Amino acid sequence: QISYSNVRMKLLALFSLFAMAVAAPSGEYSGSKTVLGQSINAKISANSDTTMDLSISGVIELSCSDEAYTMSGAEILIDNIAQAG
């Protein structure tokens, strides 16, 4: 069974890769990871300097359109990550 903390760690790793450009991201980024035999796939599409589309598939399904984010150095922070919906 995949835990929330495992998924969160994988998302943070993907966001770190996404943020390597340090400038405002643009375009699409994707990746996948197998954890305990279960695949997790993620795709990020930068809409602007402040919003992105985020989707995760595999053992968990998640789709967030126009999700607000903030850059802090080389890190991308999802502004409303603790809010449902």
Side-chain angles (χ1 to χ4, degrees):
Q1 185 175 13
I2 303 298
S3 70
Y4 173 76
S5 61
N6 284 340
V7 171
R8 186 168 183 243
M9 286 177 53
K10 301 307 174 199
L11 279 174
L12 290 174
L14 182 61
F15 289 138
S16 295
L17 290 173
F18 182 58
M20 282 186 169
V22 180
S26 64
E28 294 184 358
Y29 302 81
S30 62
S32 62
K33 183 73 177 174
T34 300
V35 179
L36 300 173
Q38 300 293 318
S39 292
I40 301 171
N41 306 298
K43 180 179 176 185
I44 299 169
S45 298
N47 298 328
S48 70
D49 290 351
T50 59
T51 65
M52 69 174 120
D53 296 336
L54 168 66
S55 64
I56 299 173
S57 61
V59 296
I60 184 172
E61 298 288 328
L62 173 71
S63 181
C64 302
S65 297
D66 293 320
E67 191 68 36
Y69 74 90
T70 305
M71 298 257 334
S72 176
E75 291 184 331
I76 293 178
L77 309 171
I78 299 175
D79 296 345
N80 302 312
I81 196 164
Q83 296 179 4

